[in-house]
Amino acid sequence: MIRNIDLSIGEYYHIYNRGTDKRTIFLNHHDYNRFKALLYACNSATPVDISKHFREGRSFVEIFEIDRGETLVDIIAYCLMPNHFHFLIRERSEGGIQKFMMKLSTGYSMYFNNKNKRTGALFESRFKAKHADTDEYLKYLLAYIHLNPVKIIDPLWKEEGIKDRFAAQAYLRSYEHSSYLDYQGIARLETKITNREAGPEYFTTVKDFDDFVNDWLTFKA
């Protein structure tokens, strides 16, 4: 399958994919943590034997201490959902996104299939990519990616409006599997996954980000 988009150095892209047949790809907390560890460790221009680190029983903390050297991409934002994921990524080197996504998808698929005694593709075809070439679209993606978890508790919030904005905000603050908490300034291991400095400077304070999120939570299509 040939991708109908060129991936260029210095440009931002919305990268996303889901489980084949819309299947759940994260079955428990450990699956999410494994994928997040791979998000960090696979982002390296230097070959890193990820499976070796896991075989040796390295902890979640130790994986985030790996010296990756030069990275392939800048991850500006991400969100993992039960059957799909979204990233906002900036290409750092020629073919960086392709290399990163191949390492990530292969590493997680091997882990998931081995753990669940299954074979075959885990993800639906190749990853999808959309060029984020305007400020308007970049702002939309930062909102869309970070607000994705609201669909878990309020599936029709975009169409019908948010039922309880405070409950949605509380849920986002409790959802560990996205970069939302990093934009909230909360210190945690996963902060190493993202490179916010490589992204557009839309938010100079946590309040700026909160105001931005609140605007979108009150949005109704």
Side-chain angles (χ1 to χ4, degrees):
M1 177 180 173
I2 300 175
R3 195 179 307 286
N4 60 356
I5 184 174
D6 292 325
L7 302 173
S8 303
I9 296 173
E11 295 296 307
Y12 299 102
Y13 298 92
H14 178 202
I15 305 296
Y16 55 102
N17 207 348
R18 65 183 179 184
T20 183
D21 298 324
K22 300 182 181 179
R23 70 161 296 137
T24 300
I25 56 177
F26 303 113
L27 299 175
N28 52 43
H29 191 74
H30 182 73
D31 287 350
Y32 282 107
N33 279 349
R34 181 70 169 229
F35 194 90
K36 286 185 286 185
L38 288 169
L39 268 180
Y40 173 78
C42 289
N43 189 11
S44 173
T46 304
V48 177
D49 189 349
I50 307 300
S51 59
K52 177 176 180 291
H53 291 297
F54 286 118
R55 285 198 306 272
E56 291 175 349
R58 292 204 178 189
S59 68
F60 190 56
V61 174
E62 289 173 317
I63 293 296
F64 281 89
E65 293 174 349
I66 294 172
D67 182 5
R68 300 176 297 171
E70 190 70 23
T71 54
L72 294 167
V73 299
D74 293 314
I75 301 174
I76 311 302
Y78 70 90
C79 182
L80 313 183
M81 296 286 280
N83 70 349
H84 66 281
F85 60 77
H86 295 277
F87 307 147
L88 176 57
I89 285 183
R90 179 176 177 266
E91 176 105 313
R92 283 182 61 92
S93 60
E94 191 69 35
I97 291 177
Q98 296 276 12
K99 294 172 187 174
F100 169 67
M101 290 303 298
M102 179 172 288
K103 291 167 70 174
L104 176 66
S105 299
T106 300
Y108 187 73
S109 295
M110 290 176 64
Y111 151 79
F112 188 91
N113 283 354
N114 181 63
K115 189 190 78 163
N116 296 291
K117 296 180 173 57
R118 71 179 295 274
T119 59
L122 176 62
F123 295 105
E124 184 181 83
S125 185
R126 296 175 65 182
F127 67 88
K128 316 300 189 300
K130 290 185 179 179
H131 188 196
D133 56 352
T134 67
D135 271 353
E136 182 180 22
Y137 190 40
L138 277 169
K139 288 177 180 177
Y140 167 78
L141 287 174
L142 283 166
Y144 176 76
I145 289 171
H146 285 131
L147 295 178
N148 236 244
V150 176
K151 292 191 294 186
I152 295 174
I153 61 170
D154 194 354
L156 298 177
W157 79 271
K158 286 192 71 174
E159 294 79 13
E160 300 179 359
I162 197 77
K163 292 184 176 66
D164 186 334
R165 180 165 58 87
F166 297 106
Q169 289 172 321
Y171 187 73
L172 288 174
R173 286 193 292 269
S174 72
Y175 196 79
E176 301 177 11
H177 313 306
S178 85
S179 52
Y180 178 87
L181 296 178
D182 305 316
Y183 280 78
Q184 287 280 309
I186 296 173
R188 58 180 190 149
L189 282 173
E190 292 95 320
T191 301
K192 292 185 175 182
I193 293 172
T194 57
N195 181 7
R196 289 180 53 194
E197 289 73 21
E201 297 181 1
Y202 298 142
F203 320 112
T204 57
T205 66
V206 172
K207 184 179 184 303
D208 289 342
F209 180 70
D210 282 340
D211 290 344
F212 172 76
V213 169
N214 287 337
D215 286 343
W216 279 91
L217 282 173
T218 55
F219 169 81
K220 184 176 179 181

